[in-house]
Amino acid sequence: MSDTRTSEMHVIAEAEQRGRTDLWPFWRRAYAQGDPLPKLTCAVNRPAYRFDEDEPLPEEYKTLLLRMLRHEGERAGNKSFLGLMASCLDLAETIFPTAEAKLLKAEYLAEELKHGIMFHRLAVGLDRSFALLDVPYAHYAFHLPRETWADDAMFHFFVDLNGAFHSRDWRESSYVPLQKMAATVERDELGHSEMGYYFLQQICADARGRALAQHLLGKWYPAALDMFGRSDSPNVPKFIQWGLKSVGNAEIRHAYKQYVDGKIAALGLEVPDERQNRRFL
Amino acid sequence: MSDIVEEIRSAYVAVGIRLDHPATYGTYYRLLCAGCGRMVGNVGDKLLPGMAAALVDQQFDLYAAGLVGCACGHQQERTRALDAGRWEAARQRYASAGGTA
């Protein structure tokens, strides 16, 4: 990393430090009790590839890496990412339950925009034409209606957690720039999920809120499991072989499901049938 | 306008919610109360076919009980007009869950 870029990130880190409260960032409490996420271990014998910025990439490798980053989406130059963030702002401004919740959402947005800068740098180093490419989020989970604070809490709990699991996998990525930022992105995304969970704990504190959350699980739980894609996706073995992923869709979904099921039960809610309303098995 | 957006629009009209113009850079739409114009949520344009109608129908009871929808009560009125029996049952169920519907 150049001196200029190190200095830029130092300024951002300093700004983040000033934003710390008893609650924010939520990842602090989660990681203080040990590693909250399960290890994703590759069970396949594969070559130990390692590619850094500015190194020539094999064509298939670059295609797969770009495809993965298109799904990730958190780039400053991706209008659709900014549009999604604007939709979060809209909700924070209009249906926030407390001033504290509103401020937490502001911290969340700031942190996501930090990711926008980090992934922008990665995109420029990989393929300059990618840096300003608009890639709308394709998965329906990013488009589900959010009509209550409970919806928004579930969006963060489930969808940001999906990002944390993928980032966990990137800790072992063969693409060095991605591997370097993986721990930070994982930590932040886990924190965003914990923010959603914090809101859900408040919502579930009374019977009416619990009834609402139970109902809304029917919308968010299947979408969350669907986000990992089809278990028999033909491209997954290529991703694993090139060191861009460690495990298949079924394995990471299973690890995610075990994690969220425990958290759902701790809220006093019933875990929905995992096959109900699923679109991508 | 895409077929999916049209599906979303029709699904929400039934419960008294209007789809606004696309928000920043497209893709996402604000949901506005058809009674008073207040924003009640948002939705994206990449739902799967048939999903919008199913989601709104699944939320019928929540609109009826006032757990979802505008504070002005427009969605409660709309769901009552759509199916008074289901409306009453939903309100009783959520009232017994500790609510004040």
Side-chain angles (χ1 to χ4, degrees), chain B residues 51-79:
Chain B
M51 194 176 258
L55 287 170
V56 171
D57 182 64
Q58 282 159 21
Q59 292 195 169
F60 181 101
D61 292 3
L62 301 180
Y63 294 122
L67 283 160
V68 174
C70 188
C72 79
H74 184 66
Q75 287 71 44
Q76 289 182 64
E77 289 168 22
R78 287 293 305 150
T79 46

Short mmCIF file of all heavy atoms in Angstrom, two decimals, chain B residues 51-79:
data_model
loop_
_atom_site.label_atom_id
_atom_site.label_comp_id
_atom_site.label_asym_id
_atom_site.label_seq_id
_atom_site.Cartn_x
_atom_site.Cartn_y
_atom_site.Cartn_z
N MET B 51 -44.13 -12.59 -6.53
CA MET B 51 -43.72 -12.42 -5.13
C MET B 51 -44.44 -11.24 -4.45
O MET B 51 -44.82 -11.32 -3.28
CB MET B 51 -42.21 -12.21 -5.09
CG MET B 51 -41.60 -12.35 -3.73
SD MET B 51 -39.80 -12.20 -3.84
CE MET B 51 -39.34 -13.91 -3.72
N ALA B 52 -44.62 -10.15 -5.18
CA ALA B 52 -45.21 -8.95 -4.57
C ALA B 52 -46.61 -9.25 -4.04
O ALA B 52 -46.93 -8.92 -2.89
CB ALA B 52 -45.24 -7.81 -5.58
N ALA B 53 -47.42 -9.88 -4.86
CA ALA B 53 -48.80 -10.18 -4.44
C ALA B 53 -48.81 -11.11 -3.24
O ALA B 53 -49.59 -10.93 -2.29
CB ALA B 53 -49.58 -10.79 -5.60
N ALA B 54 -47.91 -12.11 -3.27
CA ALA B 54 -47.85 -13.07 -2.16
C ALA B 54 -47.42 -12.37 -0.87
O ALA B 54 -48.00 -12.61 0.20
CB ALA B 54 -46.88 -14.19 -2.50
N LEU B 55 -46.44 -11.50 -0.96
CA LEU B 55 -45.95 -10.80 0.25
C LEU B 55 -47.03 -9.90 0.85
O LEU B 55 -47.23 -9.87 2.06
CB LEU B 55 -44.71 -9.96 -0.09
CG LEU B 55 -43.42 -10.74 -0.35
CD1 LEU B 55 -42.34 -9.82 -0.92
CD2 LEU B 55 -42.92 -11.41 0.92
N VAL B 56 -47.72 -9.18 -0.02
CA VAL B 56 -48.76 -8.27 0.48
C VAL B 56 -49.90 -9.08 1.11
O VAL B 56 -50.41 -8.74 2.18
CB VAL B 56 -49.28 -7.35 -0.65
CG1 VAL B 56 -50.50 -6.56 -0.20
CG2 VAL B 56 -48.17 -6.39 -1.09
N ASP B 57 -50.25 -10.17 0.47
CA ASP B 57 -51.31 -11.01 1.03
C ASP B 57 -50.89 -11.59 2.39
O ASP B 57 -51.70 -11.64 3.32
CB ASP B 57 -51.66 -12.14 0.06
CG ASP B 57 -52.80 -12.99 0.60
OD1 ASP B 57 -53.91 -12.44 0.75
OD2 ASP B 57 -52.58 -14.18 0.92
N GLN B 58 -49.62 -12.02 2.48
CA GLN B 58 -49.13 -12.58 3.76
C GLN B 58 -49.17 -11.53 4.86
O GLN B 58 -49.21 -11.86 6.04
CB GLN B 58 -47.69 -13.09 3.60
CG GLN B 58 -47.60 -14.44 2.90
CD GLN B 58 -46.21 -14.69 2.31
OE1 GLN B 58 -45.24 -14.08 2.71
NE2 GLN B 58 -46.14 -15.58 1.33
N GLN B 59 -49.11 -10.25 4.47
CA GLN B 59 -49.10 -9.19 5.48
C GLN B 59 -50.49 -8.63 5.78
O GLN B 59 -50.62 -7.67 6.54
CB GLN B 59 -48.16 -8.06 5.04
CG GLN B 59 -46.70 -8.49 5.06
CD GLN B 59 -45.72 -7.34 4.98
OE1 GLN B 59 -44.53 -7.55 5.20
NE2 GLN B 59 -46.16 -6.14 4.68
N PHE B 60 -51.50 -9.22 5.17
CA PHE B 60 -52.87 -8.73 5.36
C PHE B 60 -53.19 -8.56 6.85
O PHE B 60 -53.70 -7.53 7.29
CB PHE B 60 -53.87 -9.71 4.71
CG PHE B 60 -55.31 -9.29 4.82
CD1 PHE B 60 -55.96 -8.68 3.74
CD2 PHE B 60 -56.04 -9.49 6.00
CE1 PHE B 60 -57.30 -8.29 3.84
CE2 PHE B 60 -57.37 -9.10 6.10
CZ PHE B 60 -57.99 -8.50 5.03
N ASP B 61 -52.88 -9.61 7.64
CA ASP B 61 -53.20 -9.59 9.07
C ASP B 61 -52.46 -8.47 9.79
O ASP B 61 -52.98 -7.88 10.75
CB ASP B 61 -52.87 -10.94 9.71
CG ASP B 61 -53.79 -12.04 9.21
OD1 ASP B 61 -54.63 -11.76 8.34
OD2 ASP B 61 -53.65 -13.19 9.69
N LEU B 62 -51.23 -8.21 9.35
CA LEU B 62 -50.44 -7.16 10.00
C LEU B 62 -51.02 -5.78 9.71
O LEU B 62 -51.06 -4.92 10.59
CB LEU B 62 -48.98 -7.23 9.53
CG LEU B 62 -48.23 -8.54 9.80
CD1 LEU B 62 -46.79 -8.45 9.28
CD2 LEU B 62 -48.22 -8.88 11.28
N TYR B 63 -51.47 -5.59 8.46
CA TYR B 63 -52.14 -4.31 8.12
C TYR B 63 -53.42 -4.18 8.94
O TYR B 63 -53.72 -3.12 9.50
CB TYR B 63 -52.49 -4.24 6.64
CG TYR B 63 -51.30 -4.19 5.70
CD1 TYR B 63 -51.14 -5.15 4.71
CD2 TYR B 63 -50.36 -3.17 5.78
CE1 TYR B 63 -50.06 -5.11 3.84
CE2 TYR B 63 -49.28 -3.12 4.92
CZ TYR B 63 -49.13 -4.10 3.94
OH TYR B 63 -48.06 -4.05 3.08
N ALA B 64 -54.18 -5.28 9.01
CA ALA B 64 -55.47 -5.24 9.71
C ALA B 64 -55.28 -4.88 11.18
O ALA B 64 -56.05 -4.11 11.76
CB ALA B 64 -56.16 -6.60 9.58
N ALA B 65 -54.25 -5.44 11.78
CA ALA B 65 -54.01 -5.22 13.22
C ALA B 65 -53.26 -3.92 13.49
O ALA B 65 -53.03 -3.58 14.65
CB ALA B 65 -53.25 -6.41 13.80
N GLY B 66 -52.85 -3.25 12.43
CA GLY B 66 -52.13 -1.99 12.62
C GLY B 66 -50.67 -2.18 12.99
O GLY B 66 -50.01 -1.23 13.42
N LEU B 67 -50.15 -3.39 12.83
CA LEU B 67 -48.73 -3.63 13.13
C LEU B 67 -47.85 -3.13 11.99
O LEU B 67 -46.67 -2.86 12.18
CB LEU B 67 -48.49 -5.13 13.34
CG LEU B 67 -48.93 -5.66 14.70
CD1 LEU B 67 -49.11 -7.16 14.67
CD2 LEU B 67 -47.94 -5.28 15.76
N VAL B 68 -48.42 -3.06 10.80
CA VAL B 68 -47.73 -2.53 9.63
C VAL B 68 -48.70 -1.56 8.97
O VAL B 68 -49.91 -1.76 9.02
CB VAL B 68 -47.36 -3.68 8.65
CG1 VAL B 68 -46.77 -3.13 7.37
CG2 VAL B 68 -46.38 -4.65 9.28
N GLY B 69 -48.16 -0.52 8.38
CA GLY B 69 -49.02 0.45 7.70
C GLY B 69 -48.94 1.81 8.37
O GLY B 69 -48.27 1.97 9.40
N CYS B 70 -49.61 2.76 7.78
CA CYS B 70 -49.51 4.15 8.21
C CYS B 70 -50.25 4.39 9.53
O CYS B 70 -51.29 3.77 9.79
CB CYS B 70 -50.10 5.04 7.12
SG CYS B 70 -49.83 6.79 7.42
N ALA B 71 -49.72 5.32 10.30
CA ALA B 71 -50.35 5.68 11.57
C ALA B 71 -51.75 6.28 11.35
O ALA B 71 -52.57 6.28 12.28
CB ALA B 71 -49.47 6.68 12.32
N CYS B 72 -52.04 6.74 10.15
CA CYS B 72 -53.37 7.33 9.89
C CYS B 72 -54.47 6.27 9.81
O CYS B 72 -55.65 6.60 9.82
CB CYS B 72 -53.34 8.17 8.60
SG CYS B 72 -53.44 7.21 7.07
N GLY B 73 -54.07 5.00 9.73
CA GLY B 73 -55.05 3.92 9.76
C GLY B 73 -55.65 3.55 8.40
O GLY B 73 -56.56 2.71 8.33
N HIS B 74 -55.11 4.11 7.34
CA HIS B 74 -55.70 3.87 6.02
C HIS B 74 -55.64 2.39 5.61
O HIS B 74 -56.61 1.86 5.06
CB HIS B 74 -55.00 4.74 4.97
CG HIS B 74 -55.59 4.64 3.61
ND1 HIS B 74 -56.87 5.08 3.33
CD2 HIS B 74 -55.11 4.12 2.44
CE1 HIS B 74 -57.14 4.84 2.05
NE2 HIS B 74 -56.09 4.27 1.49
N GLN B 75 -54.53 1.73 5.91
CA GLN B 75 -54.40 0.31 5.50
C GLN B 75 -55.36 -0.57 6.33
O GLN B 75 -55.85 -1.58 5.83
CB GLN B 75 -52.95 -0.18 5.65
CG GLN B 75 -52.01 0.39 4.59
CD GLN B 75 -51.73 1.86 4.78
OE1 GLN B 75 -51.49 2.30 5.90
NE2 GLN B 75 -51.77 2.63 3.70
N GLN B 76 -55.61 -0.16 7.57
CA GLN B 76 -56.58 -0.92 8.37
C GLN B 76 -57.97 -0.80 7.74
O GLN B 76 -58.70 -1.79 7.66
CB GLN B 76 -56.61 -0.38 9.80
CG GLN B 76 -55.35 -0.72 10.58
CD GLN B 76 -55.42 -0.22 12.01
OE1 GLN B 76 -56.25 -0.67 12.79
NE2 GLN B 76 -54.56 0.71 12.36
N GLU B 77 -58.29 0.39 7.30
CA GLU B 77 -59.60 0.58 6.65
C GLU B 77 -59.69 -0.21 5.36
O GLU B 77 -60.71 -0.84 5.06
CB GLU B 77 -59.81 2.07 6.33
CG GLU B 77 -60.03 2.94 7.53
CD GLU B 77 -59.95 4.43 7.17
OE1 GLU B 77 -60.13 4.78 5.98
OE2 GLU B 77 -59.67 5.23 8.07
N ARG B 78 -58.62 -0.19 4.59
CA ARG B 78 -58.63 -0.87 3.29
C ARG B 78 -58.77 -2.39 3.48
O ARG B 78 -59.52 -3.04 2.75
CB ARG B 78 -57.34 -0.58 2.51
CG ARG B 78 -57.25 0.82 1.95
CD ARG B 78 -58.27 1.06 0.85
NE ARG B 78 -58.18 0.06 -0.21
CZ ARG B 78 -59.18 -0.35 -0.96
NH1 ARG B 78 -60.40 0.11 -0.73
NH2 ARG B 78 -59.00 -1.25 -1.92
N THR B 79 -58.03 -2.95 4.44
CA THR B 79 -58.11 -4.40 4.63
C THR B 79 -59.48 -4.80 5.17
O THR B 79 -60.00 -5.86 4.83
CB THR B 79 -56.99 -4.90 5.58
OG1 THR B 79 -56.90 -4.05 6.71
CG2 THR B 79 -55.65 -4.94 4.87
#
